[in-house]
Amino acid sequence: MTLKIISAEDILFQGEASVVHLPGTMGAFTVLPGHASLISTLTPGTVRYTATDGEHSVEIQGGIADVDSNIVSVCIY
């Protein structure tokens, strides 16, 4: 699936990921390929994902995640 992590200043990551872990407002959740569509607000925490070159993490203060058609868009602040 395609993962995009963007802030107001920069695109932090854009590429293929096999799993994404997100700190949702209603609780942490994991997105895998083929996940149902959803929109969620994010709380301060860590976005963790596995890309083709290994595991990565990004500390965030909050944001919004949109999952649709194997595209995960994470807008952070």
Side-chain angles (χ1 to χ4, degrees):
M1 70 188 154
T2 301
L3 171 62
K4 301 175 189 176
I5 302 175
I6 58 175
S7 70
E9 296 84 28
D10 200 7
I11 297 173
L12 302 176
F13 178 79
Q14 182 170 340
E16 291 300 307
S18 58
V19 61
V20 182
H21 304 280
L22 297 159
T25 302
M26 301 294 289
F29 63 99
T30 300
V31 178
L32 298 169
H35 196 285
S37 296
L38 69 82
I39 296 175
S40 176
T41 54
L42 304 175
T43 60
T46 305
V47 174
R48 294 182 296 120
Y49 60 95
T50 302
T52 55
D53 63 347
E55 295 183 14
H56 302 274
S57 62
V58 177
E59 293 295 320
I60 66 169
Q61 296 304 309
I64 298 172
D66 175 61
V67 179
D68 190 38
S69 301
N70 274 334
I71 299 172
V72 182
S73 301
V74 181
C75 301
I76 63 170
Y77 54 85

